[in-house]
């Protein structure tokens, strides 16, 4: 799917704003506190953050305002899905949504799919296809975008492959970890006030 470059660029720059709007919505329209739902949400948050942390340890710096990629990473979590950072985002967002109620889960899923699946990911993939050509298209044919499922096997071993770098993962993900903790505490406090 071709995306207008300007629209794709704006969506990419604003992808972080999505989380702020989602958190603000939860604060304005909280659900009711439920311990089972809250615990399930925390487990999803931890799982999503772990996926992001692992993905961050295999790639060069990714917190940028413009789409870019010095190398095509096809190993580690990128051998299972093309966008493990966004998969982690989805799982974390589902964690917060589950904490707040099932209606929030549906709203979050719809908003995530609209922004990421229809704008951000296609824009990034267009960039990667233009930059890496057949190498990217072969990878894309074998590896699904967001959720692992049997498709065409794993990508071939890359000459650029690097080992997991826990220090790089930590330095790139510390911001996400802090924000996740802060938003989770705020959601918990807001839900607790509705008890």
């Amino acid at each position: 799917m071709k995306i207008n470059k300007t629209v794709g660029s704006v969506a990419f720059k604003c992808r972080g704003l999505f989380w702020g709007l989602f958190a603000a919505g939860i604060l304005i329209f909280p659900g009711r506190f439920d311990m089972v739902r809250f615990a399930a949400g925390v487990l999803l948050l931890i799982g999503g953050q772990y996926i992001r942390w692992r993905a961050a340890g295999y790639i060069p710096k990714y917190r940028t305002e413009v789409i870019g990629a010095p190398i095509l990473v096809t190993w580690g979590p990128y051998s299972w899905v093309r966008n493990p950072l966004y998969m982690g985002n989805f799982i974390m967002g589902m964690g917060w949504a589950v904490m707040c109620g099932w209606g929030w889960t549906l709203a979050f899923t719809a908003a995530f799919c609209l922004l990421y699946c229809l704008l951000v990911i296609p824009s990034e993939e267009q960039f990667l296809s233009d930059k890496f050509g057949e190498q990217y298209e072969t990878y894309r044919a074998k590896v699904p975008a967001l959720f692992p499922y049997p498709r065409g096997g794993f990508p071939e071993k890359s000459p650029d492959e690097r080992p997991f770098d826990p220090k790089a993962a930590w330095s790139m993900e510390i911001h996400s970890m802090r924000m996740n903790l802060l938003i989770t505490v705020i959601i918990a406090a807001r839900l607790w006030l509705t008890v």
Side-chain angles (χ1 to χ4, degrees):
M1 168 160 81
K2 278 271 206 206
I3 297 291
N4 176 287
K5 286 191 179 195
T6 303
V7 171
S9 177
V10 169
F12 184 82
K13 285 179 187 174
C14 294
R15 69 195 189 282
L17 177 62
F18 170 74
W19 299 102
L21 293 173
F22 182 66
I26 287 172
L27 295 176
I28 295 168
F29 306 105
R32 289 202 350 231
F33 184 80
D34 177 281
M35 191 56 169
V36 172
R37 258 195 354 250
F38 190 79
V42 168
L43 290 175
L44 287 169
L45 278 170
I46 292 168
Q49 184 61 71
Y50 179 75
I51 290 168
R52 282 189 57 87
W53 182 72
R54 290 296 297 184
Y58 287 102
I59 58 175
K61 188 171 176 64
Y62 68 88
R63 290 191 183 276
T64 64
E65 294 293 314
V66 295
I67 299 171
I71 60 172
L72 180 63
V73 179
T74 60
W75 54 92
Y78 296 87
S79 65
W80 292 87
V81 293
R82 296 189 308 269
N83 300 282
L85 289 166
Y86 296 153
M87 182 176 81
N89 284 355
F90 179 78
I91 293 169
M92 290 185 307
M94 286 298 286
W96 289 322
V98 165
M99 286 178 190
C100 294
W102 305 119
W104 272 106
T105 303
L106 293 174
F108 169 77
T109 301
F112 182 92
C113 288
L114 179 66
L115 177 65
Y116 283 88
C117 297
L118 296 179
L119 295 172
V120 175
I121 292 172
S123 297
E124 289 181 354
E125 293 193 332
Q126 193 171 316
F127 169 84
L128 293 169
S129 183
D130 291 347
K131 181 168 183 175
F132 297 106
E134 188 178 328
Q135 180 188 9
Y136 178 73
E137 292 304 327
T138 301
Y139 169 66
R140 184 177 181 181
K142 289 186 176 184
V143 179
L146 275 175
F147 301 104
Y149 63 89
R151 193 159 168 181
F154 292 102
E156 295 177 22
K157 188 159 177 71
S158 170
D160 297 321
E161 189 165 333
R162 301 173 182 174
F164 177 73
D165 184 346
K167 288 182 182 177
W170 178 258
S171 71
M172 285 193 280
E173 279 302 294
I174 189 65
H175 173 73
S176 290
M177 291 178 201
R178 287 178 181 154
M179 289 308 296
N180 288 340
L181 183 59
L182 176 65
I183 292 172
T184 302
V185 167
I186 291 170
I187 288 172
R190 185 67 174 105
L191 289 174
W192 191 256
L193 290 173
T194 63
V195 172

